[in-house]
Amino acid sequence: MSEFSTPLMRQYNGIKERYPNALLLFRLGDFYELFFEDAIVASKELQITLTSRNKEKGIAVPMCGVPYHAAEGYISKLIRRGYRVAICDQVEDPRKAKKLVKREVTQVVTPGTATGSQVLEPRDHNYLAAVAESNSAIGLAFADLSTGDFRVTEITGDGRQERLMEELVRMRPRELLLAPAASVHFSPESDPPITETRLEEWVFGGEYGERLLKDHFGVVSLAGYGLEGHPLAAGAAGAIFHYVRETQRGSLFHFDTLRFYQENDSLVLDSTTLRNLELLEPLTGGPRHATLLAALDQCVTSLGARKLKSWMLRPSTDAAEIDARLAAVEELSSNTIAREEVRRVLNGIQDLERILGRVSLESANARDLLALKASLEHLPLVRTYLASFNAGRYQELHERMDELKDVHGLIESSIHPEPPALLTEGNLIQPGYHTELDSLREISRNSKQLIAGIERRERERTGINSLKVRFNSVFGYYIEVTRANLHLAPSDYQRKQTLVNAERFSTPELKELEAKILDAEERSQTLERELFVEIRRAVGTEARRIRQTAQALAELDVLACFAYLAAERNYCRPEFSDNGEMVIFQGRHPVIEHIVTREEAGHFIPNDLYLNPTSDILIVVTGPNMGGKSTYLRQTALIALMMQMGSFVPAERAKLPIFDRIFTRIGASDNLARGRSTFMVEMTETATILNTATPRSLVLLDEIGRGTATFDGLAIAWAVVEHLLVHTRARTLFATHYHELTELEDLLPGIRNYHVSVKESGSNIIFLRKVEPGSADKSYGIEVARLAGLPAHVVERAREVLKRHEQSEHTVSGKLAERKQEPKDVQLMIFTPLNSEVVQAIEKVDLDNLKPLEALNLLAELKKQIQS
Ligand SMILES: Nc1ncnc2c1ncn2[C@@H]1O[C@H](COP(=O)(O)OP(=O)(O)O)[C@@H](O)[C@H]1O
Ligand SMILES: [Mg+2]
């Protein structure tokens, strides 16, 4: 950039140099201005006019600006779009500045450190992540600055990069801290955007991280946090601390602890499965609310909603934990009155974690403290309820929940009941809380009475009834006399200002009083602010107790929500099976059922399921398109997932093992809108399943092989099923339109055929959506096409083509059979129904002229050929 001609631009440049990665909002009078490249970006993102400065001097500097009082909205918008913003304020009174007003960056806001209510989603976390890498491991840390949630993990072993990406997809941080050489890369079009922030290499160092963490937590060893021997995890966590310290004010009291976790602490759901099961977002084209999260989230607090989501992304694999939740849900599901009472009380509780976050980051105002106080008021009642319940989990929550009477008392005695939003206008502190403040207030109150006295006295002295003593910020206190009465004004009045209809005067007495009032007011405002900051800090030092209580409330809210769902939607308490058996009686799809019921669009048809680790390992589901195959597969996985979250499940009865992972692979055509090279994606996903599934996994394969030519697809599907059955032995549901796969049931023990039933009436079909044993007798593709409104003559023609194709099908299958001889332990029955020479021989026979003996001979010959 060219040289800067004015001192102002030199000042700007000096500051901008220190914040090269942020949009610099530079306070000029009543505006925040942006210059150069920043102005071009901001004008586009904010839809504001781009102008220029210094045009006349030849160097046009692009510039745009937003009014300071509306800045928060604009800043939020930039943050949501993934930008970092540095806010540069005037740090001295412009009236007192000798020449150029001093300016400094007072705040840096970034997507991962934002705490403003306009940026945050109340029911969701806002994570900042950091990645520290070495040759053998990856450390990964997540921190939500708005709530104090802080967790770290270390990824070792094979496929680290992929597993890192998986975890990032699950957690969806808004901002990612990376070393300069880090290889992680997110697609720029991810939604919401993920901002990548590069920090210097040393910031991610293990020793540096350990030192920051030990300092912060005031401990000599990190063993208590499970971090001992995990230098990369410490490095990643340290980078977060480093960055937060650099960009934020405040004590970070609310980061009261940190949790070390590992992937297999919970039921693993990879990103494909998150998407395919529509846990957080519907597949492309689906309605927004068609997700498991939306269907289950009936929490009454944001605390609970966030907890529910984290339970959904990380369901438990610990039977005791799941059982404790289920027992708690059971108690409240049958006790409607207690449940609704608890939910009603919880409803009055605000987002304690986020209030605490603002307290800790020193952005909380007096209203935040009052909201905290009002929320705490409900705690005794919540705890009384908890004490009256039987389930062990409620007793634990009762223990963990602290009524925080001291915090409540402090706020009640100190904070004014109707404070302003700003901290600079006074009225923050209750009378009686602080003696000096009380006496300052007394001075200004008395003086105001004195002023009223002066007005009365001067009216009498001058005989001007309309005489007024007034105040404005430019002239201070003055006496106003209307033009008509001007001749009555005494000579000791000093003229200050002439208006059209009146004259304003001052007197020495008034001046003196004014100084006293203003002085007292200024002092009392400063004092109030100081007292407030002190109180806020005192509240902040109780962060650990407040967070622990908030977490207990969150859990209670989720359990009450599960109880509500159990009662309202008729869910049952699932049982554990310890022999790997999976039994679902009258199971339903929680999301489709909920939507169908709510929109009164008919009924959801329940279905049964049976799997075990020996005779019923893998189910092949056939049936027409639209028959309900995919729904049946998904509902099975959702039921398993819900149980491991600790929820009742949509079924009449269910008995399930605890799974370690759920895998899903949904066929290309069901997923076309994602617009990638679909067959390749499909095979990559299938490969992952075959390589990582264990006998304790649940696998859903929906129409695999669809992305390629029919016979390739069939062959692949066949081989995949064999592998899953022979090697993996995971409980598997396989939906397919390859009818040939149903033959596997006879070939391999452990495979069972099921089909979705339809009823034929004439050339019409009705979907019964009942899953029944056995294979579908035909595919009904043409009937479905007819239902979809294909013109009648096209349907007719399709029938003809199909008939011919079916007649010649065996030759095509025959061709497939010639390609390769399969391992002996598995027969390839479907590919060798008839030998092609036999077929040709039969085709040549002229039946009209065939004599009985010739026929017998031919038959013997053919038989010989088949046997050879
Ligand atoms: N058991 C059921 N009860 C009611 N509607 C169902 C049921 N199963 C599926 N559906 C509905 O039928 C449609 C087709 O289901 P889907 O599972 O996609 O079929 P397929 O995978 O066999 O093509 C979906 O709109 C779904 O909502
Ligand atoms: Mg389907």
Side-chain angles (χ1 to χ4, degrees), residues 41-101:
V41 170
S43 69
K44 202 165 81 213
E45 295 289 359
L46 300 175
Q47 304 274 310
I48 53 179
T49 318
L50 187 66
T51 58
S52 61
R53 190 181 169 90
N54 277 354
K55 242 192 205 133
E56 66 284 0
K57 290 184 185 152
I59 339 149
V61 176
M63 153 176 143
C64 66
V66 298
Y68 85 95
H69 57 81
E72 194 186 341
Y74 288 109
I75 294 169
S76 305
K77 199 162 171 186
L78 292 171
I79 300 297
R80 281 200 303 270
R81 299 274 165 88
Y83 294 97
R84 288 167 287 248
V85 176
I87 301 162
C88 176
D89 279 307
Q90 303 178 158
V91 292
E92 65 182 340
D93 190 335
R95 281 172 298 183
K96 292 177 188 153
K98 292 206 184 66
K99 25 184 213 249
L100 194 59
V101 186

Coordinates of all heavy atoms in Angstrom, one line a residue, residues 41-101:
V41 N -14.3 -6.1 1.6 CA -15.0 -7.3 2.1 C -16.3 -6.9 2.9 O -17.3 -7.5 2.6 CB -14.0 -8.1 3.1 CG1 -14.7 -9.2 3.8 CG2 -12.8 -8.6 2.3
A42 N -16.1 -6.0 3.8 CA -17.3 -5.7 4.7 C -18.4 -5.1 3.9 O -19.6 -5.4 4.1 CB -16.8 -4.7 5.8
S43 N -18.1 -4.2 2.9 CA -19.2 -3.6 2.2 C -20.0 -4.7 1.4 O -21.2 -4.6 1.3 CB -18.7 -2.6 1.2 OG -18.0 -3.2 0.1
K44 N -19.3 -5.7 1.0 CA -20.0 -6.8 0.3 C -20.8 -7.6 1.2 O -22.0 -7.9 1.0 CB -19.0 -7.7 -0.5 CG -19.6 -8.5 -1.6 CD -18.5 -9.0 -2.5 CE -18.0 -10.3 -2.0 NZ -16.6 -10.5 -2.3
E45 N -20.2 -8.0 2.3 CA -20.9 -8.9 3.3 C -22.0 -8.2 4.0 O -23.0 -8.8 4.4 CB -19.9 -9.4 4.4 CG -18.8 -10.3 3.8 CD -19.3 -11.7 3.4 OE1 -20.5 -12.0 3.5 OE2 -18.5 -12.5 2.9
L46 N -21.9 -6.9 4.2 CA -22.9 -6.2 5.0 C -23.9 -5.4 4.2 O -24.8 -4.8 4.7 CB -22.2 -5.3 6.0 CG -21.3 -5.9 7.1 CD1 -20.6 -4.9 7.9 CD2 -22.1 -6.8 8.0
Q47 N -23.6 -5.4 2.8 CA -24.5 -4.7 1.9 C -24.5 -3.2 2.3 O -25.5 -2.6 2.4 CB -25.9 -5.2 1.9 CG -26.0 -6.7 1.6 CD -26.1 -6.9 0.1 OE1 -26.9 -6.3 -0.6 NE2 -25.2 -7.8 -0.4
I48 N -23.3 -2.6 2.5 CA -23.2 -1.2 2.8 C -22.4 -0.5 1.8 O -21.5 -1.2 1.1 CB -22.7 -0.9 4.2 CG1 -21.4 -1.6 4.5 CG2 -23.7 -1.3 5.3 CD1 -20.7 -1.3 5.8
T49 N -22.6 0.8 1.6 CA -21.9 1.5 0.5 C -20.4 1.6 0.7 O -20.0 2.0 1.7 CB -22.5 2.9 0.4 OG1 -23.9 2.8 0.5 CG2 -22.2 3.5 -1.0
L50 N -19.7 1.3 -0.4 CA -18.3 1.5 -0.4 C -18.0 2.9 -0.9 O -18.4 3.3 -2.0 CB -17.6 0.5 -1.3 CG -16.1 0.4 -1.3 CD1 -15.6 -0.1 0.1 CD2 -15.7 -0.6 -2.4
T51 N -17.3 3.7 -0.1 CA -16.9 5.1 -0.6 C -15.4 5.1 -0.6 O -14.7 4.1 -0.5 CB -17.4 6.2 0.3 OG1 -17.0 5.9 1.7 CG2 -18.9 6.2 0.3
S52 N -14.8 6.3 -0.7 CA -13.4 6.4 -0.6 C -13.0 7.7 0.1 O -13.7 8.7 0.1 CB -12.7 6.2 -1.9 OG -13.1 7.3 -2.8
R53 N -11.8 7.7 0.6 CA -11.3 8.8 1.4 C -10.0 9.3 0.7 O -9.3 8.6 0.0 CB -10.9 8.2 2.8 CG -10.5 9.2 3.8 CD -10.1 8.5 5.1 NE -9.6 9.4 6.0 CZ -10.3 10.1 6.9 NH1 -11.5 9.9 7.0 NH2 -9.7 10.9 7.8
N54 N -9.7 10.6 0.9 CA -8.5 11.2 0.4 C -8.4 11.2 -1.2 O -7.3 11.1 -1.7 CB -7.2 10.4 0.9 CG -6.8 10.9 2.2 OD1 -7.4 11.8 2.7 ND2 -5.9 10.2 2.8
K55 N -9.6 11.2 -1.8 CA -9.6 11.1 -3.3 C -8.8 12.3 -3.8 O -8.0 12.1 -4.7 CB -11.0 11.2 -3.7 CG -11.5 10.0 -4.5 CD -12.8 10.3 -5.2 CE -13.6 9.1 -5.5 NZ -15.0 9.2 -5.1
E56 N -9.0 13.4 -3.2 CA -8.4 14.6 -3.8 C -6.9 14.6 -3.8 O -6.2 15.2 -4.6 CB -8.9 15.9 -3.1 CG -8.5 16.1 -1.6 CD -9.3 15.1 -0.6 OE1 -10.2 14.4 -1.1 OE2 -9.0 15.2 0.6
K57 N -6.3 13.8 -2.9 CA -4.8 13.7 -2.8 C -4.2 12.7 -3.8 O -3.1 12.3 -3.7 CB -4.3 13.5 -1.4 CG -4.6 14.7 -0.6 CD -4.0 14.5 0.8 CE -4.4 15.8 1.7 NZ -4.5 15.4 3.1
G58 N -5.1 12.1 -4.5 CA -4.6 11.2 -5.6 C -4.7 9.7 -5.1 O -4.8 8.8 -6.0
I59 N -4.6 9.4 -3.8 CA -4.6 8.0 -3.4 C -6.0 7.8 -2.8 O -6.3 8.2 -1.7 CB -3.6 7.7 -2.3 CG1 -2.5 8.7 -2.3 CG2 -3.1 6.3 -2.4 CD1 -2.0 8.9 -0.9
A60 N -6.9 7.1 -3.6 CA -8.2 6.8 -3.1 C -8.2 5.6 -2.2 O -7.8 4.5 -2.6 CB -9.2 6.6 -4.3
V61 N -8.6 5.8 -0.9 CA -8.6 4.7 0.0 C -10.0 4.2 0.1 O -10.9 4.9 0.6 CB -8.1 5.2 1.4 CG1 -8.2 4.1 2.4 CG2 -6.7 5.7 1.3
P62 N -10.3 3.0 -0.2 CA -11.6 2.4 -0.1 C -12.0 2.4 1.3 O -11.2 2.1 2.2 CB -11.5 1.0 -0.6 CG -10.2 0.9 -1.3 CD -9.3 1.9 -0.7
M63 N -13.3 2.8 1.6 CA -13.7 2.9 3.0 C -15.2 2.6 3.1 O -16.0 2.9 2.1 CB -13.4 4.3 3.4 CG -14.2 4.9 4.5 SD -13.6 6.5 4.9 CE -15.1 7.4 5.2
C64 N -15.6 2.1 4.2 CA -17.1 2.0 4.5 C -17.2 2.0 6.0 O -16.2 1.8 6.7 CB -17.7 0.8 3.9 SG -17.2 -0.8 4.6
G65 N -18.4 2.3 6.5 CA -18.6 2.4 7.9 C -19.9 2.0 8.4 O -20.9 2.0 7.6
V66 N -20.0 1.7 9.7 CA -21.3 1.5 10.4 C -21.4 2.4 11.6 O -20.4 2.6 12.3 CB -21.4 0.0 10.8 CG1 -21.4 -0.9 9.5 CG2 -20.4 -0.4 11.8
P67 N -22.6 2.8 11.9 CA -22.8 3.7 13.1 C -22.5 2.9 14.3 O -22.8 1.7 14.4 CB -24.3 4.1 13.0 CG -24.9 3.4 11.9 CD -23.9 2.6 11.1
Y68 N -21.8 3.5 15.3 CA -21.3 2.8 16.4 C -22.5 2.1 17.2 O -22.3 1.0 17.8 CB -20.4 3.6 17.3 CG -21.2 4.5 18.3 CD1 -21.4 4.0 19.6 CD2 -21.7 5.7 18.0 CE1 -22.1 4.8 20.6 CE2 -22.4 6.5 18.9 CZ -22.6 6.0 20.2 OH -23.3 6.7 21.1
H69 N -23.6 2.8 17.3 CA -24.7 2.3 18.2 C -25.3 1.1 17.5 O -26.0 0.3 18.2 CB -25.7 3.4 18.5 CG -26.3 4.0 17.2 ND1 -27.3 3.4 16.5 CD2 -26.0 5.1 16.5 CE1 -27.6 4.1 15.5 NE2 -26.8 5.1 15.4
A70 N -25.1 0.9 16.2 CA -25.7 -0.3 15.6 C -24.6 -1.4 15.3 O -24.8 -2.3 14.6 CB -26.4 0.1 14.3
A71 N -23.4 -1.1 15.8 CA -22.3 -2.0 15.5 C -22.5 -3.4 15.8 O -22.1 -4.3 15.0 CB -21.0 -1.5 16.1
E72 N -23.1 -3.7 17.0 CA -23.2 -5.1 17.4 C -23.8 -6.0 16.3 O -23.4 -7.1 16.1 CB -24.0 -5.2 18.7 CG -23.7 -6.6 19.3 CD -24.6 -6.9 20.6 OE1 -25.1 -5.9 21.2 OE2 -24.7 -8.0 20.9
G73 N -24.9 -5.5 15.7 CA -25.6 -6.3 14.7 C -24.7 -6.6 13.5 O -24.6 -7.7 13.0
Y74 N -24.0 -5.6 13.1 CA -23.1 -5.8 12.0 C -21.9 -6.7 12.3 O -21.5 -7.6 11.5 CB -22.5 -4.4 11.5 CG -23.5 -3.5 10.8 CD1 -24.0 -2.4 11.4 CD2 -23.9 -3.8 9.5 CE1 -24.9 -1.6 10.8 CE2 -24.9 -3.0 8.9 CZ -25.3 -1.9 9.5 OH -26.2 -1.1 8.8
I75 N -21.4 -6.6 13.5 CA -20.3 -7.4 13.9 C -20.7 -8.9 14.0 O -20.1 -9.8 13.4 CB -19.7 -7.0 15.3 CG1 -19.1 -5.6 15.1 CG2 -18.7 -8.0 15.8 CD1 -18.7 -4.9 16.5
S76 N -21.9 -9.1 14.5 CA -22.5 -10.4 14.6 C -22.6 -11.1 13.2 O -22.3 -12.2 13.0 CB -23.9 -10.4 15.2 OG -23.8 -9.8 16.5
K77 N -23.0 -10.3 12.3 CA -23.2 -10.8 10.9 C -21.8 -11.2 10.4 O -21.7 -12.3 9.7 CB -23.8 -9.7 10.1 CG -24.4 -10.2 8.8 CD -25.4 -9.2 8.2 CE -25.9 -9.5 6.9 NZ -26.7 -8.5 6.3
L78 N -20.8 -10.4 10.6 CA -19.5 -10.8 10.1 C -19.0 -12.0 10.8 O -18.4 -12.9 10.1 CB -18.5 -9.6 10.3 CG -18.8 -8.4 9.5 CD1 -17.9 -7.2 9.9 CD2 -18.5 -8.6 8.0
I79 N -19.2 -12.1 12.1 CA -18.8 -13.3 12.8 C -19.5 -14.6 12.3 O -18.9 -15.6 12.1 CB -19.1 -13.2 14.3 CG1 -18.3 -12.0 14.9 CG2 -18.7 -14.4 15.1 CD1 -16.9 -12.0 14.8
R80 N -20.8 -14.5 12.1 CA -21.5 -15.6 11.5 C -21.0 -16.0 10.2 O -21.1 -17.2 9.8 CB -23.0 -15.3 11.5 CG -23.7 -15.4 12.8 CD -25.2 -15.6 12.7 NE -25.8 -14.5 11.9 CZ -26.2 -13.3 12.4 NH1 -26.2 -13.2 13.7 NH2 -26.7 -12.4 11.7
R81 N -20.5 -15.1 9.4 CA -20.0 -15.4 8.1 C -18.5 -16.0 8.2 O -17.9 -16.2 7.2 CB -19.9 -14.2 7.2 CG -21.3 -13.6 6.9 CD -21.9 -14.3 5.7 NE -23.3 -14.0 5.7 CZ -23.8 -12.9 5.0 NH1 -23.0 -12.1 4.4 NH2 -25.1 -12.7 5.0
G82 N -18.0 -16.1 9.4 CA -16.7 -16.7 9.6 C -15.5 -15.7 9.7 O -14.4 -16.1 9.7
Y83 N -15.8 -14.4 9.8 CA -14.7 -13.4 9.9 C -14.3 -13.2 11.3 O -15.1 -13.4 12.2 CB -15.1 -12.1 9.2 CG -15.3 -12.2 7.8 CD1 -16.6 -12.4 7.2 CD2 -14.2 -12.2 6.9 CE1 -16.8 -12.5 5.9 CE2 -14.4 -12.3 5.5 CZ -15.7 -12.4 5.0 OH -15.9 -12.6 3.7
R84 N -13.0 -12.8 11.5 CA -12.5 -12.3 12.7 C -12.6 -10.7 12.7 O -12.4 -10.1 11.7 CB -11.1 -12.7 13.0 CG -10.9 -14.1 13.2 CD -9.4 -14.5 13.1 NE -9.0 -14.5 11.7 CZ -8.7 -15.6 11.0 NH1 -8.7 -16.7 11.6 NH2 -8.4 -15.5 9.8
V85 N -13.0 -10.1 13.8 CA -13.2 -8.7 13.8 C -12.4 -8.1 15.0 O -12.5 -8.6 16.1 CB -14.7 -8.3 14.0 CG1 -14.9 -6.8 14.1 CG2 -15.5 -8.9 12.8
A86 N -11.6 -7.1 14.7 CA -10.9 -6.4 15.8 C -11.6 -5.0 16.0 O -11.8 -4.3 15.0 CB -9.4 -6.2 15.5
I87 N -12.0 -4.7 17.2 CA -12.7 -3.4 17.4 C -11.7 -2.4 18.0 O -11.2 -2.6 19.1 CB -13.9 -3.6 18.3 CG1 -14.8 -4.7 17.6 CG2 -14.6 -2.3 18.6 CD1 -15.8 -5.3 18.6
C88 N -11.5 -1.3 17.3 CA -10.6 -0.3 17.7 C -11.4 0.9 18.2 O -12.1 1.5 17.4 CB -9.7 0.1 16.6 SG -8.5 1.4 17.0
D89 N -11.2 1.2 19.5 CA -12.0 2.3 20.1 C -11.1 3.5 20.4 O -9.9 3.5 20.4 CB -12.7 1.9 21.4 CG -13.9 1.1 21.1 OD1 -14.8 1.7 20.3 OD2 -14.1 0.0 21.5
Q90 N -11.8 4.7 20.6 CA -11.1 5.9 21.1 C -10.9 5.7 22.6 O -11.9 5.6 23.3 CB -11.9 7.1 20.7 CG -12.2 7.2 19.2 CD -13.0 8.4 18.8 OE1 -13.0 8.8 17.7 NE2 -13.8 8.9 19.7
V91 N -9.7 5.7 23.0 CA -9.5 5.4 24.5 C -9.3 6.6 25.3 O -8.9 6.5 26.4 CB -8.4 4.3 24.7 CG1 -8.9 3.0 24.2 CG2 -7.1 4.7 24.0
E92 N -9.4 7.8 24.7 CA -9.4 9.0 25.5 C -10.6 9.9 25.0 O -11.1 9.8 23.9 CB -8.1 9.7 25.5 CG -7.7 10.3 24.1 CD -6.3 11.0 24.2 OE1 -5.9 11.3 25.3 OE2 -5.7 11.1 23.1
D93 N -11.0 10.8 25.9 CA -12.1 11.7 25.6 C -11.6 12.7 24.5 O -10.7 13.4 24.6 CB -12.5 12.5 26.8 CG -13.8 13.3 26.6 OD1 -14.1 13.6 25.5 OD2 -14.4 13.6 27.6
P94 N -12.3 12.6 23.3 CA -11.9 13.4 22.2 C -11.8 14.9 22.5 O -11.0 15.7 22.0 CB -13.0 13.2 21.1 CG -13.7 12.0 21.5 CD -13.5 11.8 23.0
R95 N -12.7 15.4 23.5 CA -12.7 16.8 23.9 C -11.4 17.1 24.6 O -10.9 18.3 24.6 CB -13.9 17.1 24.8 CG -15.1 17.3 24.0 CD -16.3 17.4 24.9 NE -16.5 16.1 25.7 CZ -17.5 16.0 26.5 NH1 -18.4 16.9 26.7 NH2 -17.6 14.8 27.2
K96 N -10.8 16.1 25.3 CA -9.6 16.4 26.1 C -8.3 16.1 25.3 O -7.2 16.5 25.7 CB -9.6 15.6 27.3 CG -10.7 16.0 28.3 CD -10.7 15.1 29.5 CE -12.0 15.5 30.4 NZ -12.4 14.3 31.2
A97 N -8.4 15.4 24.2 CA -7.2 15.0 23.4 C -6.6 16.3 22.8 O -7.3 17.2 22.3 CB -7.6 14.1 22.3
K98 N -5.2 16.3 22.9 CA -4.5 17.5 22.4 C -4.5 17.5 20.9 O -5.0 18.5 20.3 CB -3.1 17.5 23.0 CG -3.1 17.8 24.5 CD -1.8 18.4 24.9 CE -1.8 18.6 26.4 NZ -1.8 17.2 27.1
K99 N -4.0 16.5 20.3 CA -4.1 16.4 18.8 C -4.9 15.2 18.4 O -6.1 15.1 18.6 CB -2.8 16.5 18.2 CG -1.6 16.1 19.0 CD -0.3 16.3 18.3 CE 0.7 15.3 18.6 NZ 1.8 15.3 19.3
L100 N -4.2 14.1 18.0 CA -4.9 12.9 17.5 C -5.4 12.1 18.7 O -4.7 11.9 19.7 CB -3.9 12.1 16.7 CG -4.4 11.0 15.9 CD1 -5.4 11.5 14.8 CD2 -3.3 10.2 15.2
V101 N -6.7 11.7 18.7 CA -7.3 10.9 19.8 C -6.5 9.6 19.8 O -6.3 9.0 18.8 CB -8.8 10.7 19.5 CG1 -9.4 10.0 20.7 CG2 -9.5 12.0 19.2

